[in-house]
Amino acid sequence: MEAIKKGTTIQSLQIGMGIIDIIAKQGRPLRFSDIQDLTQITKSNLYKYLNTFTQLGLLYRHMETGEYVLGSKLIEYGMAAVDQENVIDRISPFLHEINEKSSSTVLFSSWTDNGPMIVRDLNNNRGFNIGAQIGTLLPIRSATGKVFMAFMDEHMIREWKVKEFMQIPPEKVSQLEDECGLIREKEIAFAREPLVSSVSSVSIPVLNYQKKLLGAVTVVGFSEFIPQNENNELSHYLIGISKEISASFGYMSDVE
């Protein structure tokens, strides 16, 4: 590595990035006191750094617990740098195959602090309004939302779930929680007309070798062409290709 001349760097920026690096390496949410213990930075200065990073989206502070985690802006930068662990590049051939097989729009969504977001779409019929496009955040009652509710780590989605549950009747919340068990078992989720009338969706998880959710692949189309349960030819196909996609990231299904 080329030596950097003294006096040609910004010390405060180095300190700030050191804080980000420490939080990233811990791999868990940290309280203010945790970060101070790890960095040994004075309280007043640390507050300034954390407030600035939170405002910029480099860190995210949980409202209920006050704990800090990496923010959506860092996730965005990371995706740009490594193309989301090459997830999108790796799954693109599968997305095209699913698009041809289903003759419907295919979406790939990733997690953000505000919920699952569409980051890739394939739509041969651009005149067909599915109520979603790249950058759209999807609700918990969508097929995509159900996959994230079923497979994401609970601590990561807790605030999102609370916000989403406030917008739906209590009986629907109970139904969703019961449905999540089946989704984890079957590895497929269904939603009838969650965003647009006459438009339904079916979604499958993309899991890695640690059984962590990398994202969700969702087929969206007219309700008459989208299955509503696993006892359907397209459903069988999607469950199979879900295992194939996840296997490419090292995932081994418990059920063969």
Side-chain angles (χ1 to χ4, degrees), residues 23 43 47 75 105 110 114 117 119 122 128 148 155 158 171 173 183 191 199 203 210 215 220 225:
I23 294 173
K43 285 186 177 180
Y47 271 120
I75 296 171
T105 299
S110 295
N114 296 313
M117 177 187 288
V119 296
L122 282 174
F128 174 47
F148 280 88
H155 75 275
R158 188 178 298 119
E171 63 272 15
V173 172
I183 293 169
V199 176
S203 187
Q210 296 175 313
V220 185
F225 301 118

Side-chain angles (χ1 to χ4, degrees), residues 7-36:
T8 61
T9 60
I10 301 172
Q11 187 178 14
S12 60
L13 185 56
Q14 290 177 320
I15 294 170
M17 292 310 298
I19 295 170
I20 296 287
D21 187 56
I22 285 172
I23 294 173
K25 286 179 177 177
Q26 293 305 302
R28 60 182 176 85
L30 296 176
R31 295 169 299 177
F32 180 89
S33 57
D34 296 328
I35 300 170
Q36 190 185 24

Side-chain angles (χ1 to χ4, degrees), residues 200-241:
S200 295
S201 56
V202 54
S203 187
I204 51 177
V206 176
L207 303 163
N208 69 6
Y209 65 98
Q210 296 175 313
K211 297 188 178 180
K212 290 187 176 181
L213 188 69
L214 299 177
V217 175
T218 306
V219 179
V220 185
F222 289 117
S223 297
E224 59 190 295
F225 301 118
I226 300 298
Q228 293 302 308
N229 58 61
E230 66 272 16
N231 301 316
N232 177 281
E233 181 184 350
L234 181 57
S235 296
H236 292 160
Y237 163 77
L238 290 172
I239 292 170
I241 203 165

Side-chain angles (χ1 to χ4, degrees), residues 112-197:
T112 72
D113 294 328
N114 296 313
M117 177 187 288
I118 299 171
V119 296
R120 181 82 165 86
D121 72 335
L122 282 174
N123 184 1
N124 290 334
N125 184 1
R126 289 290 168 183
F128 174 47
N129 177 24
I130 63 169
Q133 57 188 356
I134 291 177
T136 298
L137 292 167
L138 296 170
I140 203 165
R141 292 177 67 184
S142 66
T144 303
K146 291 176 182 179
V147 165
F148 280 88
M149 181 179 171
F151 289 97
M152 282 290 288
D153 290 340
E154 179 64 25
H155 75 275
M156 294 186 68
I157 63 172
R158 188 178 298 119
E159 288 188 20
W160 172 66
K161 283 174 62 177
V162 170
K163 291 177 184 177
E164 291 287 315
F165 285 171
M166 289 175 64
Q167 302 176 43
I168 60 180
E171 63 272 15
K172 297 293 184 183
V173 172
S174 297
Q175 289 177 15
L176 271 173
E177 290 175 335
D178 290 342
E179 191 176 349
C180 275
L182 288 173
I183 293 169
R184 281 188 286 268
E185 178 187 345
K186 305 293 186 180
E187 297 189 2
I188 190 167
F190 307 90
R192 186 165 184 83
E193 305 177 3
L195 297 176
V196 178
S197 178

